[in-house]
Amino acid sequence: MELKHASQLRGTVSVPGDKSISHRAIMFGAISEGTTEITNFLQGADCRSTISCFRKMGIPIENEAGRVTVHGNGLHGLLEPSGILDVGNSGTTARLISGILAGQSFPSSLNGDASIQKRPMNRILTPLSAMGAKVISQNGNGCAPLAFEPAPLCGIAYQTPVASAQVKSCILLAGLYADKITSVTEPALSRNHTELMLSAFGAEITSNGTTVSVLPQPKLSGLSIEVPGDISSAAYFIAAALLVKDAEILIKNVGINPTRDGILKVAKAMGGHLEFQNKRTVSGEPVCDLFVKSGSLHGTVINESLIPALIDEIPMIAVMAAFAEGQTVIKDAAELKVKESDRIFTTSENLRRMGVNVLPTDDGMVIEGNPDGLHGADFESYGDHRIAMSFSIAALALNEVCTMRGAECVEISYPGFYRDLAGLT
Ligand code: S3P
């Protein structure tokens, strides 16, 4: 795809529904009793994988323009799937559904694309096995394909070495099927959408610092959910408005859950101009409209407990850092290596292509900002949606025409990305 410089950005954009929340609404709806109506559902390929997995387990799910209806069948109402559950590119589907599959009275197996088959699953296999689950990595390499056999689950108190909402959610979902209370303690608080939404469905969840506990066997009841806009998708427009020389845009309906809002903190710390308008609560999640306008940025340090709140935005932040004055240091983010691509490598490579002096490290990168010395580049998405979108935004602020190889992977989380961007340019 050819990507051109933009001298001006104006207008209003509404980002699509939050990916994490869309996945959870389908899953929790499927194991609840009654109907769950979901509006502003994200129609990205990842969330469609979640729908198809639950349809394969006998859950009727209607998906019509803008509205998804899940006809839940209760905690024990899933049916044995006739074949392998295909999670596609979606780590969230793979890890969360595993917590549910571990508690079923039927065998099942799941697999996904080449990227999924390289992503670490021991982080869920270890706690699930400690709960008594019979689950294996079929190739013995700690990755998908995974196979499940029925087994009774016991509640555990688990200390997870990684701050990961996927791991936490997997264990909490398995905990619904356990014999006693299950709790998970993380090294830092990861996104808490599971806690918020499972409680709304009727589960007994308690949070205390970085520990979350769930009681077994609740009666979950279907409900109506309006999915807030995805702050991870909004991040591309926030960055675009900060980087394009003459920009003033309004991004409507942005989820600003404090476990996800690291991009806002960093944008401000770098000197960005952001205004929060119309703050409100949507389906238990804080939401606002964001007004952003251009300005000059300076480097910053991003580390420790802030990392989980912006982990998916680091490629975009790295691009912002390239256009900022001074140095930006990103550390404590080794998790980047096990995302849809190795994002320390894929981000650094693309930064280099546009002339950035970047040092990839074991747990992040050091970026020397060079606002006036960058040039056009042929970027590569490496099949990673967030890399494709981050460097498409970089291209807007570069003075020469750029290209993006593999731009179609934006379909994973934001099918209308290029259309919405064109609406502002
Ligand atoms: C997600 C959690 C994060 C994030 C992913 C979505 C979720 O992954 O990177 O895009 O919906 O729970 P980890 O749990 O692996 O950090």
Side-chain angles (χ1 to χ4, degrees), residues 1 90 96 174 223-224 234 248 279 312 360 371 378 381 397:
M1 177 173 288
S90 175
L96 268 64
L223 45 84
S224 292
E248 274 191 21
K279 280 195 180 174
D312 292 340
D378 294 327
S381 74

Side-chain angles (χ1 to χ4, degrees), residues 220-237:
L220 301 181
S221 307
L223 45 84
S224 292
I225 296 171
E226 184 186 336
V227 180
D230 197 327
I231 190 169
S232 297
S233 300
Y236 305 109
F237 298 117

Side-chain angles (χ1 to χ4, degrees), residues 23 70 85 99 120 146 155 275 285 293 347 380 386 405 411:
H23 280 298
V70 183
L85 298 169
L146 305 180
E275 285 171 33
E285 293 274 350
K293 66 177 185 183
T347 301
E380 164 71 58
R386 302 214 181 275
R405 194 134 66 109
E411 168 73 14

Side-chain angles (χ1 to χ4, degrees), residues 1-346:
M1 177 173 288
E2 197 173 84
L3 303 160
K4 293 201 182 101
H5 171 79
S7 48
Q8 194 183 60
L9 285 188
R10 281 287 184 284
T12 299
V13 60
S14 288
V15 291
D18 187 273
K19 180 156 80 72
S20 294
I21 296 175
S22 296
H23 280 298
R24 286 158 173 78
I26 299 291
M27 294 190 188
F28 304 170
I31 57 170
S32 292
E33 286 167 35
T35 302
T36 291
E37 294 274 0
I38 312 166
T39 47
N40 200 34
F41 178 80
L42 172 64
Q43 297 289 352
D46 269 12
C47 298
R48 294 201 311 270
S49 293
T50 293
I51 292 186
S52 88
C53 288
F54 282 90
R55 281 184 176 151
K56 252 194 173 157
M57 291 191 283
I59 301 298
I61 303 176
E62 292 143 39
N63 187 2
E64 280 145 25
R67 176 178 294 266
V68 175
T69 309
V70 183
H71 298 278
N73 202 18
L75 270 180
H76 300 280
L78 300 176
L79 301 177
E80 181 174 341
S82 52
I84 297 171
L85 298 169
D86 181 3
V87 304
N89 187 247
S90 175
T92 307
T93 311
R95 297 200 179 103
L96 268 64
I97 211 173
S98 290
I100 297 175
L101 296 177
Q104 302 307 310
S105 56
F106 51 78
S108 58
S109 56
L110 71 76
N111 203 357
D113 68 8
S115 154
I116 276 290
Q117 290 178 32
K118 285 195 262 169
R119 297 187 65 186
M121 293 295 156
N122 279 339
R123 54 182 59 197
I124 58 161
L125 301 184
T126 302
L128 287 177
S129 302
M131 294 177 80
K134 281 196 180 160
V135 51
I136 54 159
S137 155
Q138 285 181 303
N139 296 333
N141 60 355
C143 300
L146 305 180
F148 299 81
E149 290 291 333
L153 300 185
C154 54
I156 57 167
Y158 187 67
Q159 193 115 27
T160 164
V162 280
S164 158
Q166 295 180 356
V167 171
K168 172 172 65 178
S169 305
C170 170
I171 299 168
L172 293 174
L173 287 165
L176 297 175
Y177 295 91
D179 62 344
K180 61 176 191 292
I181 190 166
T182 295
S183 58
V184 189
T185 302
E186 308 185 87
L189 188 62
S190 65
R191 63 192 68 191
N192 65 354
H193 307 301
T194 293
E195 295 90 304
L196 294 178
M197 200 192 289
L198 257 188
S199 298
F201 273 96
E204 287 187 68
I205 306 257
T206 47
S207 295
N208 185 1
T210 61
T211 300
V212 191
S213 307
V214 65
L215 288 173
Q217 308 294 345
K219 179 179 176 315
L220 301 181
S221 307
L223 45 84
S224 292
I225 296 171
E226 184 186 336
V227 180
D230 197 327
I231 190 169
S232 297
S233 300
Y236 305 109
F237 298 117
I238 295 170
L242 296 176
L243 298 182
V244 168
K245 286 277 174 286
D246 173 15
E248 274 191 21
I249 62 167
L250 184 67
I251 313 169
K252 293 188 85 165
N253 189 25
V254 183
I256 48 168
N257 180 314
T259 62
R260 294 282 298 280
D261 70 354
I263 175 69
L264 306 179
K265 295 196 171 103
V266 167
K268 279 192 179 161
M270 295 178 83
H273 180 103
L274 281 80
E275 285 171 33
F276 298 73
Q277 300 177 355
N278 194 15
K279 280 195 180 174
R280 58 206 187 268
T281 302
V282 173
S283 295
E285 293 274 350
V287 168
C288 77
D289 301 332
L290 268 182
F291 173 78
V292 193
K293 66 177 185 183
S294 37
S296 54
L297 301 179
H298 50 80
T300 189
V301 176
I302 303 164
N303 59 1
E304 296 180 343
S305 58
L306 192 56
I307 296 294
L310 49 67
I311 187 74
D312 292 340
E313 286 64 75
I314 290 179
M316 189 68 266
I317 290 169
V319 168
M320 285 160 55
F323 287 95
E325 294 289 347
Q327 189 182 68
T328 293
V329 179
I330 300 169
K331 53 186 175 188
D332 305 320
E335 276 295 295
L336 290 172
K337 289 193 224 165
V338 291
K339 293 294 178 188
E340 286 84 330
S341 68
D342 172 348
R343 287 182 181 159
I344 294 181
F345 172 77
T346 54

